[in-house]
Amino acid sequence: MLSQGITVLGSTGSIGTNTLDVLARHPDRFHVVALSAHSNVTRLAEQCLQHHARYAVISNPTRAIELQSALDQLQCKAEVLAGRDALSTIARMHETDVVMAAIVGAAGLEPTLHAVQAGKRLLLANKEAMVIAGELFRKAAVEYDATIIPVDSEHNALFQVLPENFANGLESVGVERLILTASGGPFLHRSRDSLQNITPEEACNHPNWDMGRKISVDSATLINKGLEIIEARWLFNARTDQIDVIVHPQSIVHSMVAYRDGSVLAQLGMPDMRTPIAHALAWPDRIEAGVKRLNLTALNKLEFYPPKLDSFPGLALAYQVLETGHNAPVIFNAANEVAVEAFLQERISFLQIPSVVSATLDGCETGKIDRLDEVLEYDRLARNTACKAVNLLQ
Ligand code: NAD
Ligand code: MG
């Protein structure tokens, strides 16, 4: 088998680091072409040395000189590329066969879409990109014959238990419902009142998964699950009424597909992102991921509950956004990114995150989206409105 060239967008983050861990277990199968980070030059330089990357990309151009000297110190020969456009360059270049999209937020949209437009195999962790430009991804994947494999654990689980020809329509392959599991985050059993004074540290302390700060907060508000139902809509060509959410605190069942004949197929495993990453990298093969094996008899119990929509209004908002369609997911995502950042900076409270999202949805005009520049413009307008909503709360 020919070794495949991998580019990792966002290699210094939680998904990026786990991806490099899996890649290092399979040096005959994969080689690293390019790695990118936004500001952590030290970690990026170390990763480039360890994984023999050809290109080291820093999207924040003011850190380029620092990156060059960090590489020089390590005697690493990786070539430095800097700036936002460099992300698209490494996603498109001919040496790259596979792109892992692991940048957080809408910042990852352009290079991720470029990977699809260049016909690469895209491993999609950057859910925000799919949420805000799902239709563009769907069309580009068909037009440029690109394969998109979900890395988000729920969507990867669904991908594993769906038949291969699901893209023709879920009903045509006998699927009634997609059931996304949600851990419920760190505040699952807490009343709404008790969430008033949650600190960023508490919100980022997820019981089952070790993730970046933004997605950790999203998991605590359940807005992560809201983003995921929109992601599922586009990845699996599903209607809103075909997507359910069920709370499963142990994070062992990663999601399920319910079929017309009453069968429900689930994918189970330890809560370790290296499993979906390895699956996406090797599909349709299976490779070792370094993950602890699931021991079902050692587990006390597997629980399932309906989600508490009154304590976590972000999820109900996401269902509305999905129904509204057009630019509503762009507004929802942009407002959430602004609100989470404000919460992490202790400028607004935990419970004010969905308030900012809701106020922004109310304050922005709805409109259709056909092109990337329209997505970017609606994203910019929504961020302005969300910043004003944050300022009003202070
Ligand atoms: P993280 O914060 O740990 O890492 C983010 C990466 O993106 C870093 O390498 C950072 O340098 C880069 N980055 C940040 N801002 C950037 C910008 N403006 N421009 C370019 N690069 C930038 O995040 P993460 O937890 O690894 O999550 C990455 C993506 O994967 C998110 O979309 C998240 O929702 C998704 N995801 C993560 C997990 C998980 O377990 N961490 C699970 C499922 C999905
Ligand atoms: Mg997930």
Side-chain angles (χ1 to χ4, degrees), residues 10-15 36-38 59 84 87 102-105 107 125-128 152 210-212 215 273:
S11 65
T12 53
S14 158
I15 293 287
S36 94
H38 196 55
S59 39
R84 301 200 47 75
L87 296 173
I103 289 174
V104 60
N126 180 202
K127 68 189 80 181
E128 297 90 348
D152 209 348
D210 184 10
M211 311 180 285
I215 184 175
M273 287 307 294

Side-chain angles (χ1 to χ4, degrees), residues 45-46 48-50 52-53 67-78:
E46 284 163 4
C48 286
L49 179 73
Q50 191 189 342
H52 311 288
L67 174 61
Q68 185 65 64
S69 61
L71 290 167
D72 290 346
Q73 246 174 15
L74 296 173
Q75 296 182 333
C76 175
K77 299 266 179 291

Side-chain angles (χ1 to χ4, degrees), residues 360-371:
T360 308
L361 283 164
D362 290 343
C364 288
E365 307 248 330
T366 49
K368 288 199 171 178
I369 288 177
D370 294 311
R371 299 190 316 264

Side-chain angles (χ1 to χ4, degrees), residues 186 199-206 209 211-214 216-217 344:
T199 64
E201 288 327 301
E202 288 172 297
C204 288
N205 191 11
H206 196 281
W209 301 95
M211 311 180 285
R213 283 167 78 77
K214 193 259 176 186
S216 298
V217 176
L344 289 172

Side-chain angles (χ1 to χ4, degrees), residues 53-200:
R54 271 205 227 155
Y55 301 94
V57 177
I58 191 85
S59 39
N60 177 353
T62 63
R63 311 297 289 269
I65 293 173
E66 230 180 296
L67 174 61
Q68 185 65 64
S69 61
L71 290 167
D72 290 346
Q73 246 174 15
L74 296 173
Q75 296 182 333
C76 175
K77 299 266 179 291
E79 183 180 330
V80 172
L81 304 175
R84 301 200 47 75
D85 290 350
L87 296 173
S88 293
T89 305
I90 55 168
R92 301 193 75 108
M93 60 179 36
H94 76 273
E95 296 102 307
T96 298
D97 302 300
V98 179
V99 173
M100 166 59 83
I103 289 174
V104 60
L109 171 60
E110 285 170 88
T112 303
L113 191 56
H114 275 126
V116 174
Q117 289 168 341
K120 308 295 185 190
R121 175 192 278 225
L122 176 71
L123 316 189
L124 183 81
N126 180 202
K127 68 189 80 181
E128 297 90 348
M130 183 59 70
V131 166
I132 66 178
E135 180 86 54
L136 302 186
F137 274 100
R138 199 181 58 77
K139 285 186 180 153
V142 174
E143 188 176 345
Y144 299 97
D145 197 22
T147 308
I148 302 178
I149 305 179
V151 170
D152 209 348
S153 58
E154 298 77 4
H155 305 71
N156 182 266
L158 293 171
F159 186 83
Q160 292 198 38
V161 294
L162 279 165
E164 248 186 65
N165 51 347
F166 66 79
N168 301 332
L170 292 178
E171 264 158 19
S172 73
V173 290
V175 171
E176 273 184 351
R177 314 187 78 74
L178 306 178
I179 307 166
L180 276 81
T181 52
S183 69
F187 312 130
L188 174 60
H189 296 298
R190 302 263 297 255
S191 69
R192 186 173 163 80
D193 286 347
S194 75
L195 300 179
Q196 199 62 50
N197 298 317
I198 294 297
T199 64

